[in-house]
Amino acid sequence: MPSPDPSSGTAPRTALVPGEIPSATIEAVGRELMTRAAITIPADFKNGVQQMAETETQPLAKYVLDQICCNYDAAEEDLRPMCGDTGLPRFYVKMGNDCRLQGGFAALERGLRKATADGTREIPLRPNRVHPLSRKDFDNNLGVHAPEIQYSFEPEGDWLDITTVHKGGLFGSDYRMLFPADGIAGIKKFFLDTMVEFGRRGMACQPAVVGLGIGGCKDTTMRIAKEAACLRAVGDRNPEREISELEQELKVLGNSIGMGPMGFVGSSMVIDAHVEIAYTHTGGMPVAIHTFCFASRRATARITPDGEVAYRSDPQWFTPYYRREGIE
Amino acid sequence: MSEISLKDVKMDTVRLKCPVDAEALRKLKLGDLVFLDGPLFTGREGVYKRYLAEGVDPPVPFREISNVNFHCSPAAKILPEGGYEVKAVTATASFRFSKWMPAWLEKTGVKLIIGKGGMTTEDYRRTFVPNQAVYLTTVGYGLGATYGRGIAGVRAVYWLEELGIAQAMWVLDCAGMGPFIVESDAEGNSLFELSNREINRNLGKLYEGLPEPALRRFGEITNREDEVL
Ligand code: SF4
């Protein structure tokens, strides 16, 4: 199989129709997002870890938290990736209903693939993506279904939001089919199991933001758990009161295990817990858990048809429309 | 052997020269913070398979390069004028390499293994101690930029074509690279095991009132005081 060509796909129409988002801008912004995500820790996350470093009382755990904070600064000062394992780059694309793209969706995807390959070579990122069996690596983080690009839409607006997440971590995520009879206690137990199991020796690279998906079909459960971990800002709460309370309880529970970073004794495990739900089969209650390690690489930009680009920290992925609030 | 406890951990700072000498290794105490100078090489499953299973020797014998083996792969840039720049390195989980350690330590003379998360106490006692080898864990673990700062240069890269950037063997020159934490000392004690013991005391209380789920799973590990390694 030949090396995946980042520029394969439909060639853009040469002429830009007024009102369209130019494909060159998409590619340039994609490339810039790759750099920002790899190097600059989002402010909400940094504050969360700094607060933990201030309150942690156990010496080993505190030392590690201080080092994590110094590393965030070192990355920004020297323009180095914050973690040498630069994760698996992926994209979340959100569009207002009136957004139009030069060259259409294929051009957008080609631009993001090219941004991934160029960023990998130039930043540089570690070329982590390999064939699952042959382990073939094209050294550009491209491949079959790689990078993942997910879409969502908003009823109003002509803008395009692009978020990249460089998700690391082979440990700290799990799925389990629970049942209505298991209730909240069952969710808590599964949460604790995952934290204790993967928190030992710090395999999950905690402190982490933990995302839980409850309900849906298995794939939905996994997806919303990951999005809850990676796309919601630290401190943000789910609008449903019961869920927001559960988030707070899980955060406290995770920090009462007695474990800190690297699995050392401490109380700094969970920077925040985010829960998302999806309607599910009447007989079941599937649950998925995802941890977003302390190298929580995430960057977002909004492009408008006038060519303006605005970078921001909060991906604003979970909107009332996305959660289908009030939609019959 | 005297029982060590977490209270004995002093977190003293130690500077080590690579290749490391036996005396310096014997002095390391659990929890010491180590900074390295001199050459080390990266090696993980790709290198282990190639050398141990396929019997291919590197262009320069391991013993002539260093006796320090880092379980990692760098985020490296190939410079237009030739050569490489490594900006960030982060270790990969070491427990996966347990099966290669006996032959590896014996054949290569490696005395210092650096990685993520350590290995089991059984690995240390059975394999590391008889080979006078010690294990350092990286901190965090995602301190890629911090460790990247401690790399003065890339001396050589072997098997880049055959194994790719991530699995190739990188010979890195360290200048105060660290901090690393002594996870296992010359006697095979383990800092993670001490931490686990302490944490396990709390688990009974933590799980109180949380019943088993309605549908169980075939379990490989059911005692929550055990590790899943
Ligand atoms: S889990 Fe995160 S912090 Fe840990 S090595 Fe992977 S990317 Fe880095």
Side-chain angles (χ1 to χ4, degrees):
Chain A
M1 184 180 147
S3 168
D5 176 6
S7 56
S8 65
T10 312
R13 293 192 300 271
T14 38
L16 177 69
V17 176
E20 285 182 340
I21 309 242
S23 43
T25 310
I26 294 174
E27 187 184 313
V29 168
R31 174 66 188 79
E32 174 63 20
L33 287 172
M34 293 293 288
T35 302
R36 288 181 183 232
I39 294 172
T40 313
I41 189 79
D44 55 295
F45 211 95
K46 188 176 183 179
N47 290 339
V49 178
Q50 272 169 346
Q51 274 175 27
M52 286 188 141
E54 279 160 27
T55 51
E56 180 59 71
T57 55
Q58 294 288 330
L60 274 168
K62 182 170 167 45
Y63 178 77
V64 178
L65 289 166
D66 286 339
Q67 288 297 318
I68 292 171
C69 292
C70 292
N71 185 68
Y72 292 147
D73 295 338
E76 279 190 66
E77 281 162 28
D78 302 4
L79 301 181
R80 298 169 188 271
M82 63 182 90
C83 180
D85 180 345
T86 50
L88 298 180
R90 63 189 296 143
F91 293 94
Y92 293 90
V93 173
K94 199 190 269 294
M95 271 176 277
N97 200 32
D98 298 317
C99 173
R100 299 290 174 269
L101 306 172
Q102 182 193 13
F105 287 95
L108 169 101
E109 296 201 330
R110 186 195 48 221
L112 296 182
R113 288 172 70 79
K114 185 152 187 326
T116 304
D118 291 350
T120 300
R121 188 178 60 248
E122 290 158 13
I123 298 172
L125 304 182
R126 208 167 86 180
N128 277 332
R129 290 278 192 172
V130 300
H131 186 288
L133 297 175
S134 74
R135 315 308 289 181
K136 173 77 194 143
D137 190 341
F138 292 113
D139 281 348
N140 60 7
N141 277 316
L142 300 184
V144 180
H145 291 299
E148 293 84 354
I149 304 175
Q150 272 170 257
Y151 298 90
S152 73
F153 307 93
E154 287 295 309
E156 309 283 333
D158 55 5
W159 42 261
L160 166 71
D161 275 4
I162 305 174
T163 295
T164 187
V165 167
H166 300 179
K167 173 82 170 63
L170 305 175
F171 314 101
S173 300
D174 205 354
Y175 164 87
R176 182 160 193 161
M177 178 56 87
L178 294 176
F179 296 90
D182 292 315
I184 297 285
I187 295 170
K188 286 184 177 165
K189 181 166 195 167
F190 180 44
F191 168 81
L192 274 183
D193 277 351
T194 310
M195 294 299 107
V196 172
E197 185 171 35
F198 295 115
R200 292 204 193 261
R201 297 168 187 262
M203 286 300 179
C205 287
Q206 69 264 21
V209 170
V210 186
L212 273 83
I214 305 176
C217 309
K218 184 184 273 191
D219 58 333
T220 317
T221 320
M222 293 294 284
R223 177 173 59 80
I224 58 177
K226 186 167 213 151
E227 292 174 0
C230 300
L231 299 174
R232 283 178 51 192
V234 172
D236 172 48
R237 284 284 163 261
N238 190 294
E240 223 177 292
R241 193 169 53 83
E242 289 77 12
I243 297 173
S244 137
E245 283 166 8
L246 178 62
E247 292 179 333
Q248 187 55 31
E249 280 176 51
L250 291 173
K251 178 180 169 180
V252 172
L253 186 62
N255 289 330
S256 66
I257 294 171
M259 208 187 268
M262 296 183 73
F264 292 145
V265 177
S267 57
S268 316
M269 187 80 191
V270 178
I271 299 170
D272 210 347
H274 294 145
V275 179
E276 292 296 327
I277 57 124
Y279 275 39
T280 192
H281 189 284
T282 183
M285 187 177 67
V287 178
I289 298 183
H290 264 277
T291 53
F292 200 16
C293 62
F294 68 74
S296 56
R297 290 151 301 191
R298 178 191 87 195
T300 301
R302 170 164 296 189
I303 312 174
T304 40
D306 56 8
E308 287 293 309
V309 181
Y311 292 91
R312 63 171 192 262
S313 176
D314 186 344
Q316 296 165 7
W317 180 253
F318 284 97
T319 60
Y321 180 77
Y322 186 58
R323 287 193 177 109
R324 302 295 189 259
E325 285 168 24
I327 296 177
E328 299 303 318
Chain B
M1 211 171 347
S2 58
E3 266 291 300
I4 298 185
S5 95
L6 275 181
K7 289 191 195 64
D8 303 320
V9 170
K10 297 280 178 296
M11 299 170 67
D12 290 333
T13 300
V14 181
R15 194 110 184 191
L16 277 188
K17 229 178 118 37
C18 307
V20 285
D21 75 64
E23 185 50 32
L25 287 186
R26 266 196 302 275
K27 284 192 192 145
L28 294 177
K29 308 181 298 303
L30 290 194
D32 279 354
L33 308 170
V34 178
F35 294 81
L36 299 176
D37 296 295
L40 58 71
F41 61 88
T42 72
R44 49 189 296 179
E45 57 270 58
V47 168
Y48 294 158
K49 270 193 201 150
R50 198 162 167 79
Y51 177 62
L52 295 173
E54 293 160 24
V56 185
D57 286 316
V60 179
F62 292 109
R63 280 170 208 273
E64 290 173 26
I65 303 172
S66 183
N67 58 5
V68 181
N69 169 204
F70 195 172
H71 289 158
C72 75
S73 29
K77 187 177 192 162
I78 299 170
L79 300 172
E81 63 273 24
Y84 306 90
E85 185 187 16
V86 174
K87 288 214 163 178
V89 278
T90 293
T92 196
S94 299
F95 74 89
R96 297 173 285 166
F97 310 133
S98 166
K99 69 168 184 185
W100 284 299
M101 281 301 111
W104 174 251
L105 294 182
E106 196 173 306
K107 285 188 163 178
T108 59
V110 162
K111 298 291 177 210
L112 193 59
I113 295 272
I114 306 172
K116 169 178 176 176
M119 304 176 94
T120 64
T121 303
E122 199 184 326
D123 285 319
Y124 299 140
R125 299 256 152 98
R126 269 213 203 146
T127 311
F128 279 62
V129 174
N131 285 289
Q132 301 92 45
V134 160
Y135 184 99
L136 304 183
T137 176
T138 50
V139 175
Y141 297 91
L143 306 194
T146 305
Y147 294 118
R149 275 185 170 180
I151 297 174
V154 177
R155 273 202 192 179
V157 193
Y158 302 124
W159 297 335
L160 185 59
E161 193 116 304
E162 296 87 340
L163 300 177
I165 289 178
Q167 293 283 343
M169 182 177 158
W170 294 78
V171 184
L172 305 175
D173 240 326
C174 306
M177 189 187 195
F180 303 105
I181 300 180
V182 178
E183 135 70 0
S184 179
D185 60 13
E187 293 184 343
N189 297 300
S190 158
L191 185 61
F192 288 126
E193 191 183 308
L194 294 185
S195 310
N196 281 338
R197 260 191 243 156
E198 188 69 30
I199 287 160
N200 285 347
R201 290 183 222 272
N202 184 38
L203 290 188
K205 209 174 99 226
L206 192 69
Y207 276 94
E208 228 167 51
L210 298 179
E212 289 299 327
L215 181 73
R216 312 289 289 275
R217 295 199 287 198
F218 274 147
E220 287 146 14
I221 302 284
T222 51
N223 182 355
R224 288 179 172 81
E225 294 187 9
D226 288 341
E227 288 193 81
V228 290
L229 297 196

